[in-house]
Amino acid sequence: MKLLAIDTSTLVLGVAVLENRRVLGEVTTNLHKNHSVRLMPTVNGLMKELELSPDDLDAVAVAAGPGSYTGIRIGFTTAKTLAWSRGIPLVPVSSLSALAMNGSRYPGKVVPLFDARRNRVYTGLFKGEGGRVSAVKKERVMDIGAWLEEVSEEGPLLFLGEDVSRYRETISGALGERAEFGTLRENVVSAAHLGTLAFSCLERGDRGRTDAVPNYLQLTEAEAKWLSRNGGSAGGVSEA
Amino acid sequence: MNKKGSTLVLGIETSCDETSAAVVENGEILRSNVISSQMEVHRKFGGVVPEVASRRHVERITDVIQQALDQAGVKQSELSALAVTQGPGLVGALLIGVAAAKAMAFAAGLPLVGVHHIAGHIYASHLVKPLRFPLVALVVSGGHTELIYMPGHNRFERLGKTRDDAAGEAFDKVARVLELPYPGGPEIDRLAREGRPSIDLPRAWLEPDSLDFSFSGLKSAVINHLHNAKQRGTTVQRADLAASFQESVVEVLTEKSIRAVKSKGVDHLVLAGGVSANSALRSALSERCRKEGIRLSVPPIELCTDNAAMIAAAGTFRYLDREFAGLDMNAEPNLKLV
Ligand SMILES: [Zn+2]
Protein backbone atom coordinates (compact mmCIF):
# COMPACT_ATOMS: atom_id res chain seq x y z
CA MET A 1 0.00 0.00 0.00
CA LYS A 2 1.52 3.27 -1.17
CA LEU A 3 0.64 6.58 0.41
CA LEU A 4 1.46 10.15 -0.58
CA ALA A 5 1.79 12.63 2.32
CA ILE A 6 1.63 16.41 1.89
CA ASP A 7 2.34 19.18 4.39
CA THR A 8 2.04 22.89 3.61
CA SER A 9 0.71 24.04 6.97
CA THR A 10 3.69 26.29 7.71
CA LEU A 11 6.37 27.88 5.53
CA VAL A 12 7.96 24.43 5.22
CA LEU A 13 6.93 22.33 2.22
CA GLY A 14 6.97 18.59 2.87
CA VAL A 15 6.12 15.70 0.54
CA ALA A 16 6.72 12.01 1.20
CA VAL A 17 5.79 8.67 -0.34
CA LEU A 18 5.51 5.68 1.99
CA GLU A 19 4.92 2.02 1.33
CA ASN A 20 3.48 0.21 4.34
CA ARG A 21 5.18 2.51 6.84
CA ARG A 22 8.47 2.37 4.96
CA VAL A 23 9.63 5.71 3.58
CA LEU A 24 10.28 5.48 -0.16
CA GLY A 25 11.17 9.14 -0.50
CA GLU A 26 10.79 12.45 1.25
CA VAL A 27 11.36 16.06 0.20
CA THR A 28 11.48 18.87 2.75
CA THR A 29 12.24 22.44 1.76
CA ASN A 30 12.20 25.55 3.88
CA LEU A 31 12.42 28.09 1.08
CA HIS A 32 9.67 30.44 2.24
CA LYS A 33 8.35 30.47 -1.31
CA ASN A 34 4.84 30.11 -2.57
CA HIS A 35 3.33 26.65 -1.85
CA SER A 36 0.86 27.15 -4.69
CA VAL A 37 3.70 27.29 -7.22
CA ARG A 38 5.93 24.59 -5.72
CA LEU A 39 3.68 21.88 -4.31
CA MET A 40 2.58 20.05 -7.46
CA PRO A 41 6.01 20.18 -9.16
CA THR A 42 7.51 18.76 -5.94
CA VAL A 43 4.95 15.93 -5.84
CA ASN A 44 5.49 15.27 -9.53
CA GLY A 45 9.28 15.33 -9.16
CA LEU A 46 9.36 12.91 -6.23
CA MET A 47 6.92 10.52 -7.90
CA LYS A 48 8.97 10.54 -11.11
CA GLU A 49 12.16 9.86 -9.19
CA LEU A 50 10.48 6.93 -7.48
CA GLU A 51 9.22 5.76 -10.90
CA LEU A 52 5.65 5.88 -9.68
CA SER A 53 2.55 7.12 -11.46
CA PRO A 54 -0.61 8.49 -9.80
CA ASP A 55 -2.22 5.06 -10.47
CA ASP A 56 0.21 3.49 -8.01
CA LEU A 57 -1.09 5.51 -5.06
CA ASP A 58 -3.52 3.93 -2.59
CA ALA A 59 -4.12 6.89 -0.26
CA VAL A 60 -3.26 10.58 0.17
CA ALA A 61 -2.50 12.05 3.58
CA VAL A 62 -2.47 15.76 4.32
CA ALA A 63 -1.53 17.99 7.22
CA ALA A 64 -5.02 19.34 7.84
CA GLY A 65 -4.12 22.18 10.17
CA PRO A 66 -3.93 24.10 12.30
CA GLY A 67 -1.47 26.40 10.58
CA SER A 68 -1.40 29.12 7.96
CA TYR A 69 -4.93 29.38 6.53
CA THR A 70 -3.74 29.73 2.96
CA GLY A 71 -1.07 27.06 3.42
CA ILE A 72 -3.40 24.40 4.78
CA ARG A 73 -5.96 25.18 2.09
CA ILE A 74 -3.44 24.65 -0.71
CA GLY A 75 -2.28 21.32 0.73
CA PHE A 76 -5.78 20.21 1.63
CA THR A 77 -7.35 21.08 -1.72
CA THR A 78 -4.50 19.42 -3.59
CA ALA A 79 -4.67 16.24 -1.49
CA LYS A 80 -8.45 16.11 -1.54
CA THR A 81 -8.70 16.55 -5.30
CA LEU A 82 -5.93 14.04 -5.95
CA ALA A 83 -7.63 11.47 -3.74
CA TRP A 84 -11.03 12.15 -5.28
CA SER A 85 -9.69 11.95 -8.83
CA ARG A 86 -8.01 8.56 -8.19
CA GLY A 87 -10.90 7.29 -6.05
CA ILE A 88 -8.62 6.59 -3.08
CA PRO A 89 -8.94 7.64 0.58
CA LEU A 90 -8.02 11.12 1.78
CA VAL A 91 -6.49 11.03 5.25
CA PRO A 92 -6.46 14.38 7.09
CA VAL A 93 -3.93 14.39 9.93
CA SER A 94 -3.38 17.06 12.58
CA SER A 95 -0.36 19.25 11.73
CA LEU A 96 0.41 19.52 15.45
CA SER A 97 0.46 15.76 16.00
CA ALA A 98 2.76 15.37 12.98
CA LEU A 99 5.14 17.89 14.53
CA ALA A 100 4.83 16.19 17.94
CA MET A 101 6.09 12.96 16.33
CA ASN A 102 9.55 14.56 16.28
CA GLY A 103 9.51 14.24 20.07
CA SER A 104 8.00 10.75 20.27
CA ARG A 105 11.05 9.43 22.16
CA TYR A 106 11.16 12.31 24.62
CA PRO A 107 10.53 11.03 28.18
CA GLY A 108 8.37 14.01 29.21
CA LYS A 109 5.53 15.61 27.31
CA VAL A 110 5.72 17.33 23.95
CA VAL A 111 4.34 20.79 23.09
CA PRO A 112 4.21 21.42 19.32
CA LEU A 113 3.50 25.04 18.53
CA PHE A 114 2.79 27.31 15.54
CA ASP A 115 2.48 31.07 15.85
CA ALA A 116 -1.09 32.35 15.51
CA ARG A 117 -0.06 36.05 15.80
CA ARG A 118 -0.96 38.60 18.46
CA ASN A 119 0.78 36.53 21.14
CA ARG A 120 -1.38 33.50 20.44
CA VAL A 121 -0.27 30.02 19.42
CA TYR A 122 -1.78 26.92 17.86
CA THR A 123 -0.72 24.21 20.24
CA GLY A 124 -1.50 21.02 22.13
CA LEU A 125 0.04 18.64 24.65
CA PHE A 126 1.25 15.20 23.55
CA LYS A 127 2.87 12.19 25.16
CA GLY A 128 5.28 10.01 23.27
CA GLU A 129 5.28 6.25 23.66
CA GLY A 130 6.93 3.55 21.60
CA GLY A 131 7.60 5.89 18.69
CA ARG A 132 3.99 7.14 18.63
CA VAL A 133 2.28 10.13 20.17
CA SER A 134 -1.09 10.57 21.81
CA ALA A 135 -2.87 13.79 22.74
CA VAL A 136 -3.01 14.63 26.44
CA LYS A 137 -4.82 17.94 25.98
CA LYS A 138 -7.09 19.08 23.18
CA GLU A 139 -5.52 21.14 20.40
CA ARG A 140 -6.29 24.81 20.69
CA VAL A 141 -5.40 28.36 19.76
CA MET A 142 -4.72 30.53 22.80
CA ASP A 143 -2.61 33.22 24.42
CA ILE A 144 0.94 31.93 25.03
CA GLY A 145 0.98 33.20 28.62
CA ALA A 146 -2.28 31.47 29.55
CA TRP A 147 -1.14 28.29 27.83
CA LEU A 148 2.16 28.22 29.73
CA GLU A 149 0.24 28.65 32.95
CA GLU A 150 -2.01 25.75 32.05
CA VAL A 151 0.93 23.40 31.43
CA SER A 152 3.10 24.75 34.27
CA GLU A 153 2.41 21.70 36.45
CA GLU A 154 3.43 19.34 33.65
CA GLY A 155 7.00 18.68 32.87
CA PRO A 156 9.56 18.28 31.68
CA LEU A 157 8.24 19.68 28.42
CA LEU A 158 9.78 19.63 24.95
CA PHE A 159 8.71 22.64 22.85
CA LEU A 160 8.79 21.96 19.10
CA GLY A 161 8.39 24.17 16.04
CA GLU A 162 10.26 26.88 14.21
CA ASP A 163 8.01 29.54 15.73
CA VAL A 164 9.08 28.53 19.26
CA SER A 165 12.12 30.82 18.95
CA ARG A 166 9.77 33.83 19.03
CA TYR A 167 8.51 32.80 22.46
CA ARG A 168 11.65 31.22 23.86
CA GLU A 169 12.24 33.85 26.55
CA THR A 170 8.61 33.81 27.64
CA ILE A 171 8.67 30.02 27.85
CA SER A 172 11.93 29.86 29.82
CA GLY A 173 10.73 32.67 32.05
CA ALA A 174 7.57 30.76 32.92
CA LEU A 175 8.92 27.22 33.09
CA GLY A 176 12.66 27.57 33.76
CA GLU A 177 14.51 24.27 33.63
CA ARG A 178 11.39 22.29 32.92
CA ALA A 179 11.27 23.61 29.34
CA GLU A 180 13.46 22.04 26.69
CA PHE A 181 13.67 23.03 23.07
CA GLY A 182 13.86 21.10 19.83
CA THR A 183 16.88 21.20 17.56
CA LEU A 184 17.05 21.64 13.78
CA ARG A 185 15.05 18.79 12.18
CA GLU A 186 12.98 18.36 15.33
CA ASN A 187 11.38 21.74 14.70
CA VAL A 188 10.24 20.91 11.17
CA VAL A 189 7.24 18.68 10.39
CA SER A 190 8.30 15.53 8.58
CA ALA A 191 5.93 14.45 5.83
CA ALA A 192 7.11 10.88 6.50
CA HIS A 193 5.87 11.17 10.10
CA LEU A 194 2.63 12.55 8.74
CA GLY A 195 2.36 9.50 6.52
CA THR A 196 3.06 7.18 9.46
CA LEU A 197 0.20 8.77 11.43
CA ALA A 198 -2.01 8.43 8.37
CA PHE A 199 -1.47 4.67 8.26
CA SER A 200 -2.74 4.50 11.84
CA CYS A 201 -5.79 6.57 10.86
CA LEU A 202 -6.49 4.23 7.95
CA GLU A 203 -6.23 1.19 10.25
CA ARG A 204 -8.84 2.83 12.49
CA GLY A 205 -11.02 3.50 9.44
CA ASP A 206 -10.55 7.30 9.68
CA ARG A 207 -10.77 9.02 6.32
CA GLY A 208 -11.91 12.39 5.00
CA ARG A 209 -15.34 12.75 3.45
CA THR A 210 -15.72 14.54 0.13
CA ASP A 211 -16.87 17.69 1.96
CA ALA A 212 -13.90 17.54 4.37
CA VAL A 213 -12.27 20.85 5.29
CA PRO A 214 -9.05 21.78 7.09
CA ASN A 215 -9.10 22.23 10.85
CA TYR A 216 -8.55 25.99 11.22
CA LEU A 217 -9.16 25.82 14.99
CA GLN A 218 -10.91 29.18 14.86
CA LEU A 219 -13.69 30.99 13.11
CA THR A 220 -12.97 33.70 10.58
CA GLU A 221 -12.83 37.20 12.06
CA ALA A 222 -16.00 38.17 10.21
CA GLU A 223 -17.93 35.21 11.60
CA ALA A 224 -16.63 35.75 15.14
CA LYS A 225 -17.63 39.44 15.04
CA TRP A 226 -21.02 38.60 13.60
CA LEU A 227 -21.64 36.02 16.32
CA SER A 228 -20.63 38.33 19.14
CA ARG A 229 -22.88 41.08 17.72
CA ASN A 230 -25.73 38.62 17.48
CA GLY A 231 -25.47 37.16 20.95
CA GLY A 232 -23.69 33.93 20.08
CA SER A 233 -20.35 32.75 21.36
CA ALA A 234 -17.51 33.05 18.92
CA GLY A 235 -15.25 30.63 20.77
CA GLY A 236 -11.50 30.60 20.18
CA VAL A 237 -11.30 26.87 20.76
CA SER A 238 -12.99 24.29 18.61
CA GLU A 239 -12.84 20.52 18.56
CA ALA A 240 -9.53 19.26 17.24
CA MET B 1 -9.66 15.76 -29.18
CA ASN B 2 -10.88 12.61 -27.53
CA LYS B 3 -11.68 9.29 -29.18
CA LYS B 4 -15.13 10.34 -30.27
CA GLY B 5 -13.68 13.30 -32.13
CA SER B 6 -15.10 16.02 -29.92
CA THR B 7 -13.28 18.30 -27.50
CA LEU B 8 -14.59 17.92 -23.95
CA VAL B 9 -13.28 20.50 -21.48
CA LEU B 10 -13.99 20.58 -17.76
CA GLY B 11 -14.00 24.14 -16.40
CA ILE B 12 -13.42 25.20 -12.80
CA GLU B 13 -14.26 28.69 -11.47
CA THR B 14 -13.66 29.92 -7.91
CA SER B 15 -12.65 33.57 -8.39
CA CYS B 16 -15.20 35.03 -5.98
CA ASP B 17 -18.15 33.52 -4.16
CA GLU B 18 -19.39 30.80 -6.52
CA THR B 19 -17.83 27.34 -6.56
CA SER B 20 -18.51 26.12 -10.06
CA ALA B 21 -17.55 23.29 -12.42
CA ALA B 22 -18.86 22.57 -15.90
CA VAL B 23 -18.33 20.39 -18.94
CA VAL B 24 -18.44 21.98 -22.39
CA GLU B 25 -18.19 20.18 -25.71
CA ASN B 26 -16.33 21.78 -28.63
CA GLY B 27 -16.34 25.11 -26.80
CA GLU B 28 -20.02 25.68 -27.51
CA ILE B 29 -22.24 22.86 -26.27
CA LEU B 30 -23.06 23.12 -22.59
CA ARG B 31 -23.09 19.61 -21.15
CA SER B 32 -23.30 20.63 -17.49
CA ASN B 33 -22.85 23.75 -15.39
CA VAL B 34 -22.92 23.25 -11.62
CA ILE B 35 -22.85 26.39 -9.47
CA SER B 36 -22.68 26.26 -5.70
CA SER B 37 -23.46 29.81 -4.64
CA GLN B 38 -22.33 31.29 -1.35
CA MET B 39 -24.65 34.27 -1.63
CA GLU B 40 -26.61 33.26 1.50
CA VAL B 41 -23.39 32.80 3.48
CA HIS B 42 -22.14 36.30 2.68
CA ARG B 43 -25.46 38.13 2.86
CA LYS B 44 -25.26 38.54 6.64
CA PHE B 45 -21.88 40.28 6.25
CA GLY B 46 -23.20 42.70 3.60
CA GLY B 47 -20.61 41.57 1.04
CA VAL B 48 -18.19 38.81 0.15
CA VAL B 49 -15.74 38.01 2.98
CA PRO B 50 -12.64 36.54 1.29
CA GLU B 51 -11.65 34.18 4.12
CA VAL B 52 -15.18 32.84 4.41
CA ALA B 53 -15.34 32.38 0.62
CA SER B 54 -12.03 30.49 0.52
CA ARG B 55 -13.12 28.12 3.27
CA ARG B 56 -16.36 27.38 1.52
CA HIS B 57 -14.61 26.67 -1.80
CA VAL B 58 -12.45 23.98 -0.16
CA GLU B 59 -15.52 22.33 1.28
CA ARG B 60 -17.46 22.25 -1.99
CA ILE B 61 -14.83 21.85 -4.70
CA THR B 62 -14.65 18.09 -5.32
CA ASP B 63 -18.37 17.51 -4.89
CA VAL B 64 -19.08 20.25 -7.43
CA ILE B 65 -16.61 18.76 -9.95
CA GLN B 66 -18.13 15.31 -9.44
CA GLN B 67 -21.62 16.67 -10.06
CA ALA B 68 -20.49 18.43 -13.23
CA LEU B 69 -19.08 15.16 -14.59
CA ASP B 70 -22.15 13.18 -13.52
CA GLN B 71 -24.63 15.62 -15.07
CA ALA B 72 -22.65 15.65 -18.30
CA GLY B 73 -22.39 11.87 -18.25
CA VAL B 74 -18.66 12.18 -18.82
CA LYS B 75 -15.82 10.27 -17.18
CA GLN B 76 -12.51 11.90 -16.27
CA SER B 77 -10.81 9.70 -18.85
CA GLU B 78 -13.04 11.09 -21.62
CA LEU B 79 -11.99 14.71 -21.01
CA SER B 80 -9.67 16.47 -23.46
CA ALA B 81 -8.44 19.12 -21.01
CA LEU B 82 -9.07 21.09 -17.84
CA ALA B 83 -9.60 24.85 -17.76
CA VAL B 84 -9.45 26.93 -14.60
CA THR B 85 -9.89 30.61 -13.80
CA GLN B 86 -6.36 31.84 -13.10
CA GLY B 87 -7.40 35.43 -12.36
CA PRO B 88 -8.35 38.12 -11.72
CA GLY B 89 -10.29 37.67 -8.49
CA LEU B 90 -9.83 37.09 -4.78
CA VAL B 91 -6.45 35.42 -4.40
CA GLY B 92 -7.48 33.01 -1.64
CA ALA B 93 -10.52 31.96 -3.62
CA LEU B 94 -8.66 31.58 -6.92
CA LEU B 95 -6.04 29.41 -5.22
CA ILE B 96 -8.60 26.71 -4.46
CA GLY B 97 -9.65 26.30 -8.08
CA VAL B 98 -6.05 26.41 -9.28
CA ALA B 99 -4.89 23.84 -6.67
CA ALA B 100 -7.79 21.53 -7.52
CA ALA B 101 -7.24 21.86 -11.27
CA LYS B 102 -3.53 21.13 -11.01
CA ALA B 103 -4.09 18.14 -8.72
CA MET B 104 -6.69 16.74 -11.12
CA ALA B 105 -4.47 17.41 -14.14
CA PHE B 106 -1.69 15.44 -12.44
CA ALA B 107 -3.92 12.63 -11.15
CA ALA B 108 -5.86 12.14 -14.39
CA GLY B 109 -2.99 13.00 -16.75
CA LEU B 110 -4.88 15.82 -18.46
CA PRO B 111 -3.62 19.00 -20.13
CA LEU B 112 -4.38 22.19 -18.23
CA VAL B 113 -5.08 25.76 -19.32
CA GLY B 114 -5.47 28.90 -17.22
CA VAL B 115 -8.29 31.21 -18.25
CA HIS B 116 -8.76 34.94 -17.71
CA HIS B 117 -12.07 35.52 -15.95
CA ILE B 118 -13.12 38.27 -18.40
CA ALA B 119 -12.42 36.04 -21.39
CA GLY B 120 -14.75 33.58 -19.73
CA HIS B 121 -17.53 36.16 -19.42
CA ILE B 122 -17.27 36.99 -23.14
CA TYR B 123 -17.47 33.30 -24.08
CA ALA B 124 -20.74 32.87 -22.12
CA SER B 125 -22.50 34.05 -25.31
CA HIS B 126 -20.67 31.46 -27.39
CA LEU B 127 -22.61 28.78 -25.48
CA VAL B 128 -25.85 30.19 -26.91
CA LYS B 129 -24.88 31.18 -30.45
CA PRO B 130 -21.36 31.10 -31.91
CA LEU B 131 -19.45 34.38 -31.63
CA ARG B 132 -18.86 36.05 -35.00
CA PHE B 133 -15.52 37.81 -35.36
CA PRO B 134 -14.36 40.52 -35.31
CA LEU B 135 -16.44 41.77 -32.40
CA VAL B 136 -16.52 44.19 -29.52
CA ALA B 137 -17.48 43.06 -26.03
CA LEU B 138 -18.73 45.17 -23.15
CA VAL B 139 -17.81 43.39 -19.91
CA VAL B 140 -19.61 44.78 -16.87
CA SER B 141 -19.49 43.18 -13.46
CA GLY B 142 -18.75 43.88 -9.81
CA GLY B 143 -15.04 43.86 -10.55
CA HIS B 144 -14.83 45.02 -14.17
CA THR B 145 -16.05 47.51 -16.72
CA GLU B 146 -14.15 47.04 -19.96
CA LEU B 147 -14.53 47.29 -23.70
CA ILE B 148 -12.67 44.50 -25.46
CA TYR B 149 -12.00 43.99 -29.17
CA MET B 150 -11.67 40.40 -30.40
CA PRO B 151 -10.36 39.82 -33.97
CA GLY B 152 -10.77 36.05 -33.53
CA HIS B 153 -10.97 33.23 -31.01
CA ASN B 154 -8.68 33.65 -28.01
CA ARG B 155 -7.43 37.07 -29.20
CA PHE B 156 -8.14 40.13 -27.07
CA GLU B 157 -7.38 43.82 -27.27
CA ARG B 158 -8.56 46.29 -24.68
CA LEU B 159 -10.24 49.47 -25.93
CA GLY B 160 -11.26 50.97 -22.61
CA LYS B 161 -11.68 50.32 -18.92
CA THR B 162 -12.96 51.96 -15.78
CA ARG B 163 -10.61 54.40 -14.11
CA ASP B 164 -12.15 53.94 -10.68
CA ASP B 165 -15.18 51.87 -9.65
CA ALA B 166 -16.54 49.03 -11.74
CA ALA B 167 -20.17 49.49 -12.78
CA GLY B 168 -21.29 46.64 -10.52
CA GLU B 169 -19.34 48.14 -7.64
CA ALA B 170 -21.16 51.46 -8.15
CA PHE B 171 -24.48 49.59 -8.11
CA ASP B 172 -23.52 47.88 -4.84
CA LYS B 173 -22.32 51.09 -3.19
CA VAL B 174 -25.38 53.07 -4.22
CA ALA B 175 -27.61 50.20 -3.06
CA ARG B 176 -25.93 50.41 0.34
CA VAL B 177 -26.59 54.15 0.72
CA LEU B 178 -30.17 53.53 -0.37
CA GLU B 179 -30.29 50.88 2.38
CA LEU B 180 -31.12 48.08 -0.06
CA PRO B 181 -30.17 44.49 0.74
CA TYR B 182 -27.06 42.76 -0.63
CA PRO B 183 -26.45 42.09 -3.50
CA GLY B 184 -27.46 45.57 -4.59
CA GLY B 185 -27.58 45.31 -8.38
CA PRO B 186 -30.88 43.44 -8.78
CA GLU B 187 -32.41 45.56 -5.97
CA ILE B 188 -31.67 48.83 -7.79
CA ASP B 189 -32.98 47.36 -11.02
CA ARG B 190 -36.23 46.44 -9.24
CA LEU B 191 -36.59 49.76 -7.35
CA ALA B 192 -35.80 51.81 -10.48
CA ARG B 193 -38.82 50.30 -12.23
CA GLU B 194 -41.04 51.99 -9.61
CA GLY B 195 -39.51 55.42 -10.20
CA ARG B 196 -38.75 57.98 -12.91
CA PRO B 197 -35.25 59.23 -13.83
CA SER B 198 -36.22 62.76 -12.77
CA ILE B 199 -33.09 63.66 -10.78
CA ASP B 200 -30.26 65.29 -12.66
CA LEU B 201 -27.10 63.22 -12.17
CA PRO B 202 -23.75 63.53 -14.01
CA ARG B 203 -22.52 61.38 -16.92
CA ALA B 204 -18.77 60.87 -17.02
CA TRP B 205 -17.87 61.01 -20.73
CA LEU B 206 -14.18 61.81 -20.02
CA GLU B 207 -12.08 62.96 -23.04
CA PRO B 208 -14.04 63.19 -26.33
CA ASP B 209 -12.50 60.06 -27.89
CA SER B 210 -12.01 58.07 -24.68
CA LEU B 211 -13.56 54.64 -24.30
CA ASP B 212 -12.72 54.60 -20.58
CA PHE B 213 -15.30 54.81 -17.82
CA SER B 214 -15.60 56.49 -14.44
CA PHE B 215 -18.37 55.92 -11.92
CA SER B 216 -17.03 57.34 -8.68
CA GLY B 217 -18.31 60.87 -9.42
CA LEU B 218 -21.78 59.52 -10.06
CA LYS B 219 -21.71 57.55 -6.81
CA SER B 220 -20.68 60.73 -4.93
CA ALA B 221 -23.48 62.70 -6.61
CA VAL B 222 -26.02 60.17 -5.33
CA ILE B 223 -24.58 60.39 -1.82
CA ASN B 224 -24.63 64.22 -1.99
CA HIS B 225 -28.22 64.23 -3.14
CA LEU B 226 -29.25 62.11 -0.14
CA HIS B 227 -27.13 64.23 2.19
CA ASN B 228 -28.57 67.54 0.97
CA ALA B 229 -32.13 66.26 1.25
CA LYS B 230 -31.45 65.17 4.80
CA GLN B 231 -30.07 68.61 5.69
CA ARG B 232 -33.07 70.35 4.15
CA GLY B 233 -35.38 67.91 5.88
CA THR B 234 -37.01 66.85 2.60
CA THR B 235 -37.84 63.24 1.76
CA VAL B 236 -36.01 61.57 -1.10
CA GLN B 237 -37.94 59.60 -3.68
CA ARG B 238 -35.67 56.57 -3.46
CA ALA B 239 -37.19 54.94 -6.53
CA ASP B 240 -36.56 58.11 -8.57
CA LEU B 241 -32.99 58.28 -7.32
CA ALA B 242 -32.41 54.60 -8.22
CA ALA B 243 -33.91 55.19 -11.67
CA SER B 244 -31.79 58.31 -12.23
CA PHE B 245 -28.61 56.57 -11.14
CA GLN B 246 -29.30 53.55 -13.31
CA GLU B 247 -30.13 55.73 -16.31
CA SER B 248 -26.80 57.53 -16.00
CA VAL B 249 -24.83 54.26 -15.87
CA VAL B 250 -26.79 52.69 -18.73
CA GLU B 251 -26.53 55.75 -20.97
CA VAL B 252 -22.73 55.92 -20.67
CA LEU B 253 -22.28 52.15 -21.10
CA THR B 254 -24.52 52.10 -24.16
CA GLU B 255 -23.06 55.15 -25.86
CA LYS B 256 -19.44 54.08 -25.37
CA SER B 257 -20.17 50.54 -26.56
CA ILE B 258 -21.69 51.85 -29.79
CA ARG B 259 -18.73 54.21 -30.27
CA ALA B 260 -16.34 51.27 -29.78
CA VAL B 261 -18.22 49.14 -32.30
CA LYS B 262 -18.11 51.96 -34.86
CA SER B 263 -14.47 52.82 -34.22
CA LYS B 264 -13.44 49.21 -34.94
CA GLY B 265 -15.85 48.91 -37.87
CA VAL B 266 -17.45 45.70 -36.60
CA ASP B 267 -21.10 44.68 -36.55
CA HIS B 268 -21.24 42.39 -33.53
CA LEU B 269 -21.47 43.55 -29.90
CA VAL B 270 -21.31 41.09 -27.02
CA LEU B 271 -22.61 42.00 -23.59
CA ALA B 272 -20.98 40.09 -20.75
CA GLY B 273 -20.61 39.98 -16.96
CA GLY B 274 -22.89 40.08 -13.95
CA VAL B 275 -24.28 43.56 -14.68
CA SER B 276 -25.55 42.32 -18.07
CA ALA B 277 -28.43 40.88 -16.05
CA ASN B 278 -29.63 44.49 -15.56
CA SER B 279 -32.92 44.90 -17.42
CA ALA B 280 -32.44 48.59 -18.27
CA LEU B 281 -29.02 47.92 -19.78
CA ARG B 282 -30.33 44.99 -21.81
CA SER B 283 -33.23 46.95 -23.25
CA ALA B 284 -31.23 50.13 -23.94
CA LEU B 285 -28.53 48.19 -25.75
CA SER B 286 -30.90 46.05 -27.76
CA GLU B 287 -32.93 49.09 -28.86
CA ARG B 288 -29.80 51.01 -29.85
CA CYS B 289 -28.24 48.04 -31.65
CA ARG B 290 -31.45 47.45 -33.60
CA LYS B 291 -31.41 51.08 -34.79
CA GLU B 292 -27.74 50.90 -35.75
CA GLY B 293 -27.94 47.49 -37.42
CA ILE B 294 -25.54 45.90 -34.96
CA ARG B 295 -25.91 42.26 -33.98
CA LEU B 296 -26.10 42.05 -30.16
CA SER B 297 -25.34 38.93 -28.11
CA VAL B 298 -26.68 38.93 -24.60
CA PRO B 299 -26.16 35.81 -22.50
CA PRO B 300 -29.15 34.33 -20.68
CA ILE B 301 -29.39 35.46 -17.05
CA GLU B 302 -28.00 32.17 -15.68
CA LEU B 303 -24.79 32.62 -17.70
CA CYS B 304 -24.32 36.32 -16.76
CA THR B 305 -23.04 35.64 -13.27
CA ASP B 306 -19.86 33.70 -12.54
CA ASN B 307 -19.96 30.12 -13.79
CA ALA B 308 -17.52 27.48 -14.96
CA ALA B 309 -19.20 26.82 -18.34
CA MET B 310 -17.89 30.13 -19.66
CA ILE B 311 -14.41 29.24 -18.36
CA ALA B 312 -14.57 25.86 -20.09
CA ALA B 313 -15.71 27.52 -23.34
CA ALA B 314 -12.93 30.14 -23.30
CA GLY B 315 -10.47 27.47 -22.16
CA THR B 316 -11.31 25.26 -25.12
CA PHE B 317 -9.85 27.81 -27.54
CA ARG B 318 -6.74 28.24 -25.41
CA TYR B 319 -6.41 24.46 -25.45
CA LEU B 320 -6.82 24.38 -29.23
CA ASP B 321 -4.10 27.07 -29.45
CA ARG B 322 -1.95 24.82 -27.22
CA GLU B 323 -1.46 27.52 -24.59
CA PHE B 324 -0.93 25.03 -21.78
CA ALA B 325 -0.17 25.78 -18.16
CA GLY B 326 2.38 23.86 -16.10
CA LEU B 327 1.96 22.34 -12.65
CA ASP B 328 3.66 25.49 -11.34
CA MET B 329 0.75 27.70 -12.43
CA ASN B 330 -0.21 30.19 -9.74
CA ALA B 331 -3.40 32.11 -9.07
CA GLU B 332 -2.98 35.68 -10.36
CA PRO B 333 -5.34 38.09 -8.58
CA ASN B 334 -4.35 40.91 -10.98
CA LEU B 335 -4.00 38.84 -14.16
CA LYS B 336 -4.03 40.97 -17.32
CA LEU B 337 -6.16 39.93 -20.27
CA VAL B 338 -3.90 41.65 -22.78
ZN1 LIG C 1 -17.30 37.61 -13.05
Side-chain angles (χ1 to χ4, degrees), chain B residues 13 15 117-118 121 141-142 144 273-274 304-306 310:
Chain B
E13 150 69 37
S15 68
H117 186 77
I118 294 296
H121 272 303
S141 71
H144 308 275
C304 286
T305 47
D306 293 349
M310 67 187 199

Side-chain angles (χ1 to χ4, degrees), chain B residues 97-176:
Chain B
V98 168
K102 290 198 294 183
M104 189 176 168
F106 170 74
L110 289 166
L112 175 66
V113 294
V115 174
H116 193 283
H117 186 77
I118 294 296
H121 272 303
I122 298 171
Y123 271 93
S125 279
H126 193 66
L127 292 163
V128 182
K129 199 173 171 193
L131 297 174
R132 200 167 67 201
F133 300 102
L135 60 79
V136 164
L138 170 67
V139 185
V140 268
S141 71
H144 308 275
T145 303
E146 307 195 20
L147 279 164
I148 307 286
Y149 171 66
M150 286 186 72
H153 277 302
N154 197 28
R155 298 285 169 267
F156 309 89
E157 197 177 297
R158 189 164 64 203
L159 305 173
K161 65 171 175 18
T162 181
R163 293 182 183 172
D164 39 60
D165 292 349
E169 206 178 346
F171 268 94
D172 280 339
K173 287 176 177 171
V174 166
R176 212 168 299 153

Side-chain angles (χ1 to χ4, degrees), chain A residues 34 36-37 40-41 44 54 69-70 73 77-78 80-81 84-86 210-211 213 216 218 220 222-223 226, chain B residues 44-45 49 51-52 54-55 58-59 62-63 65-66 76 95-96 99-100 102-104 106-107 327-328 330:
Chain A
N34 202 314
S36 167
V37 172
M40 277 316 301
N44 190 34
Y69 290 171
T70 302
R73 270 198 289 272
T77 305
T78 302
K80 179 170 158 168
T81 310
W84 162 81
S85 176
R86 299 305 324 151
T210 55
D211 61 353
V213 290
Y216 302 97
Q218 54 186 344
T220 63
E223 287 167 314
W226 188 87
Chain B
K44 67 180 178 193
F45 305 118
V49 180
E51 176 63 24
V52 174
S54 304
R55 290 185 178 196
V58 181
E59 183 182 337
T62 49
D63 281 343
I65 299 173
Q66 179 73 62
Q76 286 183 65
L95 277 170
I96 306 309
K102 290 198 294 183
M104 189 176 168
F106 170 74
L327 291 176
D328 60 350
N330 200 5

Side-chain angles (χ1 to χ4, degrees), chain B residues 219-234:
Chain B
K219 177 194 68 193
S220 304
V222 171
I223 294 168
N224 284 341
H225 183 85
L226 281 164
H227 185 73
N228 293 341
K230 202 176 169 189
Q231 292 221 310
R232 286 197 303 269
T234 55

